[in-house]
Structure formats: C-alpha cells, structure tokens
Amino acid sequence: MTRRVAVVGGGSSGLACIKCCLDEGLQPVCFESSDDIGGLWRFKENPEADRASIYHSVIINTSKEMMCFSDFPIPAHYPNYMHNSLIMDYFRSYADHFQLSEHIRFNTTVLAVKQRSDFSRSGQWDVETQNRDGQLEKHIFDAVMICIGHHCHPHLPLQDFPGIDSFTGKFFHSRDYKTPEQWRNKRVVVVGIGNSGGDIAVELSRVTKQLYLSTRRGAWILNRVGDSGLPLDMQLPRLFTYVQNLVPSSLISSLVEKQVNQRFDHALYNLKPKHRLFSQHPTVNDELPNRILSGTVQVKPDVRRFLGSRVEFDDGSVAEDVDLVVFATGYRFSFPFLASHVVSVSENKAALYKYVFPPELERPTLAVVGLVQPLGAVMPIAEMQARWATRVFKGCIKLPSLASMLQDVRCKQEAMARRYVTSQRHTIQVDYVPYMDELAELVGARPSPLRLLLTDPRLGLNLMLGPCTPYQYRLRGPGKWPGARQAILTQWERVARPMQTRPCEDPKPGRSLMGPLVLAAVCVAAYVNRNKLAAFLQDPTALSDHVKAAGFF
C-alpha cells in the first residue's frame, strides 16, 4: 500500500514536502489552517492568531536565483529581489506546475498528532483535525511532516521595559505593522534592529517627524546590492566556503568587516556591535545608512524605561512626545499539537537531528521541515530537508544510532553557542552551503565540483567559482533533474534580464595617448630629479611649486 504522509502547513516548506512526497511515490495530505498557500509570504491586512504576518512593502532579502526551488527556476523577467506579491505568484506557479493544490485541505487546523498504540511496530500517527465549520475528523498516517516554520508567536517581552503601562502612546509587535501613512508627522521608536526592525524604521522615517531606532547590541549591516550592482548573495562562490574551512574565522570576519565598513563606518554611525560579523544573524538593509545620514533615523541604545509619552534610553537621552513604539523583537515557535516528549521546545530550542528528526523516536516517521534560520534562503533548504525525510520514510536511508544522533545535536548546539551571541534568535542558525552539502551527502545528491572540472570543465568552473544556486543539488543522485546543468549555465542571464528595460549600447572607449604620455612624463621627471628625491619626500610642495613655475599648470 502507498504510504500516507500528513503535511502540516501549506507555506513554502509545505509545498516542497508535498512535491517530494509525490516524487517518492508517497501520498501526501496537507492541512492548511487558512484559505490559501504561501504561509509567511501571504500578506493579510489583519493578522491571524499564531501566524506570522508581513507588512505590505516586504521585499525578500535573498535573490531569486538563490531562493528558488531546485528544479523550478523563477522566471527570468522577475526582479532579482522580489516583492511578497511576486513570491506568492511564484509559489502559485510551482503548485500549479506540479499539481500540488489538489493535495491540500484548506481551512483545516491540526489539533493533535499522537503516536498510535502500536507505534513501535507501525510508526503510525493519529492526526485529529478541525475544519472551519467546527467538524472534527480523525486520520491515520504512516508519517508526518511539520512545516509551520519558526514565526509562530510574536515575542513581546514587555516585562523588560519598565513603565510600559504608563506609556500614553500606542505600541505593538512588528507583525501588526502594515503601512506607514497613519504615522505621518508622528514620533516613533522602533525597538530591534533585525531585518524587520530595520525595514520598518526606514519606511516609517519617510513620513514621521522623527524615528528612533533602539538597539541593544548594534548590528552589522549588509546590503542586497553587491559589486557592480549584482545581487550580493550571488557573489559568494562555493570556493569561499572551502576557504572558510582553512582560514581562522577571526581573519575572515576582519576581512568582511573591513569591506562592510568601506560602505559606511559602523562606528561612526553608532551601529558597530561588540561581536564579530559572523556572530549574529546579519541585518540586510540598503537604505538605513542614508536615513541615518539624513537625520530621519537616530540610532539609540536599549530602552531604559517609559515615562508617559517619554522614552528614556540607557545613555540617559530621552525621546519626547513619542506616539508609537514598534517592538521588532522576533518570534517564538512551538508545536501545541504535539506531546512534549515527541518534540520538546525550551527557550526557542528543539533538539532535532540535523534540525529535522526527533532522535529519540522509536521509528523515524516524523520530520520537522523549515525550522532553520539560514545565512541564505530557507526555501531550498526546506526542499532538501524534505528530499531527505521522504527517503527516510521509504526506508531508502537509515538514520544512525541514538547515541550518534544525540552527539550530532550536542555538537551543533555547542558550536552555535561558541559562535553566536546569546539570543533566542540564535538557536536554529545554519550556514547555507555547509548545511545543504551535509544533507545532500545523506541523500546522495551532493555536487562534486572537482570531478566535474575533469568531466565537464565549464560546469565545474561554474560550480567552483560561481554562486551555489540550488540547481547544483539536482545534478546527480535521487531527484536528478535533466535541466539542472542548463539552469546553472544560464543563471547570470536571468539575473540580467529584468534590468534590461531600455536599449543601452555600451560605447566603445576611444583610444587615447594621454595616459601613456602622462606616465612617461612622470618617469622622465623622476629620473631627471632623482638626486632631489630625498628632498621631495621631505617636502612634496617644493616639487609642486617647481612644476607651477615651469608653466605646466
């Protein structure tokens, strides 16, 4: 009999799970509590309980070639960094192309997922659901994939802000922010400098009388636009990952911090944190330095207390007549439909093997997909997790012993604690390429650039020196896609396509002798005056005066 798999959640991770189930001959049934796909990326004016909610202007921080599903490139004419509405269009195209929607039960909430009495033998689960009419239904599944992400419950630590009860203005979590218009000519404080905090601060600062951005630690600010105007995340080749493994992390941090500071001096802008660049999830924001430079955003330390309409900061400075405080303080995740002994969550931590499998289950028939915070895009990672999990469900891949899995969990937790500053945000961090390679190795789909350099040099060079786009993980092994090679070789064409919106002939530079002549003149002058070189080094203005006296200028 075909094994039935329950997929909880119809966001990007849920869609990937449905497709991977179909690819492996499994029968998925997806339960989505709302009336549509998209999860986090579906904008709604009114937030729903226990769900993340985005603001109207959200644009993704990863470029289209790095965020797409590995066998379904985003259309060439789409912009490199997409608005949330275009991301939804892409998800719909993906669902239509692979006929995923017919496997989704919308407006259906999962109430409970429990092991059956014979779980040690069958590995099966009892799943109880409720539709929008209140009708309860019980199901039996051979496996379960949980795809509800980590933006579940807004983290609003009001106990850390003395006097908040006396605040006369309005305050809310960033999930409740939608558009800036109603805050025109108001004074606003945004607490938190993650990606949401930075974006909201920039957007509000265009209409507010003054915007204060409060940050406890500061942050390193990256931008979407890299060298030559290309997407920044497309300029990090796989080779960089190999170098990272060979060079001390402190040296890598110093080099990258120096490059980041060339854009703007983080210390001058009061943003420089005490920690190194790779010790915190970076904030991506192209516009924040300009807003600070123009004075519309003032960077402030942590909030000390509220006094009526006044907000006092740790440095003793005070913001007067504040109308709004936006708490961009992150989210907490939980699995209320699961027993705590199945997946235990404490302080935003869940002990999962490779961030997917509860190690202590007798049978590996439950997987958590998409519960990661990558330095990169989550969509390809969730897809790779789903490819691995479905192969485990089928029995094609065996998990290691309990002791080995627990050791892997401990090693990852310890490595994270050593690298990152302590924060509920830094509990599920992964580096994109190493983690993708780790999972792909288990699936049998890890690319081999060195081998390809011998058998297909053009492709091998693209893998080694180019960006690590998701197509690389469809070149070989289970799930191999015939279009992967061509997708890799044409990825830069898709990057350029949306910007080619007017004819623009690149003029050929005229041949000029001025440069060589000037260089020759300098060399001759240096030779003629070689005896005066020491004097010139002591007093360069003397040569300048001599040149002017000779009538050259």
Side-chain angles (χ1 to χ4, degrees):
M1 294 180 62
T2 302
R3 298 183 182 182
R4 300 178 73 237
V5 180
V7 178
V8 184
S12 60
S13 299
L15 294 176
C17 285
I18 298 171
K19 178 176 180 297
C20 290
C21 283
L22 296 174
D23 289 345
E24 294 294 340
L26 305 174
Q27 182 182 341
V29 179
C30 177
F31 300 106
E32 168 55 45
S33 61
S34 71
D35 59 359
D36 202 358
I37 63 171
L40 170 68
W41 292 101
R42 181 167 55 89
F43 172 78
K44 294 200 74 172
E45 193 68 42
N46 298 311
E48 300 169 336
D50 298 329
R51 297 176 66 94
S53 182
I54 58 174
Y55 37 99
H56 185 269
S57 63
V58 167
I59 293 175
I60 196 165
N61 286 332
T62 50
S63 66
K64 65 178 182 180
E65 292 297 305
M66 296 299 296
M67 64 155 279
C68 66
F69 295 113
S70 60
D71 57 356
F72 195 71
I74 293 174
H77 67 278
Y78 276 38
N80 285 283
Y81 292 102
M82 300 190 297
H83 184 262
N84 59 84
S85 59
L86 288 176
I87 295 174
M88 284 297 298
D89 288 346
Y90 172 65
F91 288 163
R92 295 191 201 286
S93 297
Y94 181 74
D96 291 344
H97 183 79
F98 294 108
Q99 300 178 333
L100 306 181
S101 296
E102 61 190 67
H103 301 279
I104 304 176
R105 298 189 185 184
F106 293 105
N107 298 301
T108 304
T109 302
V110 173
L111 300 180
V113 175
K114 299 178 181 178
Q115 296 164 290
R116 304 208 79 206
S117 57
D118 64 345
F119 181 81
S120 60
R121 178 183 61 83
S122 68
Q124 291 183 324
W125 300 83
D126 287 320
V127 177
E128 184 177 0
T129 62
Q130 182 179 41
N131 64 20
R132 62 180 171 185
D133 298 323
Q135 182 179 357
L136 299 177
E137 191 174 356
K138 293 186 177 181
H139 320 259
I140 298 174
F141 285 99
D142 298 292
V144 177
M145 305 180 86
I146 299 174
C147 312
I148 62 174
H150 55 89
H151 297 93
C152 301
H153 315 291
H155 177 58
L156 194 58
L158 297 181
Q159 69 279 2
D160 295 339
F161 297 93
I164 187 66
D165 293 337
S166 71
F167 181 56
T168 56
K170 187 174 182 179
F171 67 86
F172 51 68
H173 190 270
S174 57
R175 75 188 292 271
D176 296 311
Y177 171 81
K178 298 300 170 187
T179 56
E181 284 76 14
Q182 72 181 102
W183 305 107
R184 185 172 298 277
N185 295 322
K186 304 294 185 181
R187 295 181 181 274
V188 177
V189 174
V190 174
V191 178
I193 197 172
N195 287 311
S196 294
D199 283 351
I200 292 172
V202 165
E203 183 168 270
L204 280 170
S205 70
R206 298 191 185 99
V207 301
T208 55
K209 184 178 295 184
Q210 185 61 60
L211 191 293
Y212 303 94
L213 178 57
S214 171
T215 169
R216 181 182 304 172
R217 298 188 184 92
W220 295 102
I221 310 297
L222 305 182
N223 52 318
R224 297 181 177 94
V225 183
D227 293 342
S228 301
L230 297 172
L232 180 66
D233 57 1
M234 289 285 284
Q235 298 180 326
L236 295 175
R238 174 179 286 277
L239 185 61
F240 178 75
T241 304
Y242 298 155
V243 172
Q244 275 188 304
N245 294 331
L246 299 174
V247 178
S249 59
S250 58
L251 177 58
I252 294 290
S253 291
S254 296
L255 293 173
V256 179
E257 287 165 12
K258 181 178 180 181
Q259 186 175 8
V260 168
N261 274 322
Q262 285 179 347
R263 182 182 175 225
F264 73 93
D265 187 335
H266 283 60
L268 179 64
Y269 280 60
N270 279 333
L271 287 171
K272 183 178 180 181
K274 293 181 180 179
H275 57 263
R276 307 308 301 268
L277 188 142
F278 290 110
S279 296
Q280 182 184 35
H281 193 83
T283 297
V284 180
N285 198 302
D286 292 69
E287 299 181 68
L288 182 58
N290 178 54
R291 307 312 297 180
I292 296 173
L293 195 62
S294 62
T296 56
V297 171
Q298 288 187 20
V299 179
K300 290 290 185 179
D302 201 13
V303 172
R304 176 181 294 170
R305 58 180 173 173
F306 291 86
L307 299 166
S309 65
R310 305 168 70 222
V311 178
E312 182 180 337
F313 301 98
D314 275 349
D315 62 352
S317 62
V318 176
E320 303 279 357
D321 302 322
V322 174
D323 301 287
L324 169 69
V325 176
V326 181
F327 289 97
T329 45
Y331 289 84
R332 296 176 292 104
F333 63 83
S334 67
F335 307 105
F337 46 81
L338 274 178
S340 59
H341 71 272
V342 176
V343 178
S344 176
V345 178
S346 176
E347 297 180 341
N348 242 32
K349 298 176 183 177
L352 299 170
Y353 175 60
K354 308 292 186 190
Y355 302 101
V356 176
F357 285 101
E360 297 182 346
L361 280 183
E362 294 175 273
R363 300 292 296 273
T365 56
L366 183 139
V368 180
V369 175
L371 189 66
V372 288
Q373 180 79 36
L375 293 176
V378 72
M379 292 80 167
I381 287 179
E383 180 191 43
M384 184 59 72
Q385 290 177 327
R387 291 172 66 185
W388 176 44
T390 50
R391 301 281 292 171
V392 171
F393 293 162
K394 284 182 63 177
C396 300
I397 300 174
K398 301 294 184 182
L399 296 185
S401 67
L402 173 60
S404 297
M405 289 191 286
L406 291 175
Q407 177 65 20
D408 184 84
V409 171
R410 281 193 296 269
C411 287
K412 283 181 166 52
Q413 290 176 342
E414 290 169 1
M416 201 176 308
R418 287 194 302 268
R419 172 174 167 180
Y420 290 99
V421 296
T422 302
S423 167
Q424 68 158 19
R425 190 184 187 192
H426 299 135
T427 58
I428 48 175
Q429 291 288 135
V430 295
D431 290 328
Y432 177 80
V433 176
Y435 183 63
M436 286 286 281
D437 281 353
E438 185 178 0
L439 295 184
E441 183 72 32
L442 298 172
V443 174
R446 180 173 178 172
S448 178
L450 296 178
R451 180 177 60 83
L452 285 171
L453 284 173
L454 300 176
T455 60
D456 190 343
R458 184 185 176 196
L459 181 60
L461 285 172
N462 271 272
L463 262 63
M464 185 67 75
L465 303 180
C468 190
T469 45
Y471 322 120
Q472 296 188 11
Y473 298 97
R474 291 285 183 176
L475 289 169
R476 58 186 292 265
K480 179 180 178 180
W481 175 46
R485 182 181 187 276
Q486 184 63 17
I488 293 169
L489 297 180
T490 57
Q491 57 198 9
W492 288 108
E493 296 174 18
R494 290 188 296 279
V495 170
R497 171 71 181 280
M499 295 180 282
Q500 305 304 304
T501 55
R502 62 175 284 268
C504 184
E505 294 184 5
D506 189 12
K508 295 181 180 179
R511 190 174 181 85
S512 174
L513 297 177
M514 182 58 68
L517 287 174
V518 170
L519 180 59
V522 170
C523 292
V524 170
Y527 178 77
V528 171
N529 295 280
R530 61 187 183 278
N531 295 327
K532 302 178 181 179
L533 183 59
F536 165 68
L537 292 176
Q538 294 294 325
D539 185 13
T541 57
L543 179 60
S544 175
D545 294 340
H546 180 70
V547 170
K548 290 179 181 178
F552 287 109
F553 296 102

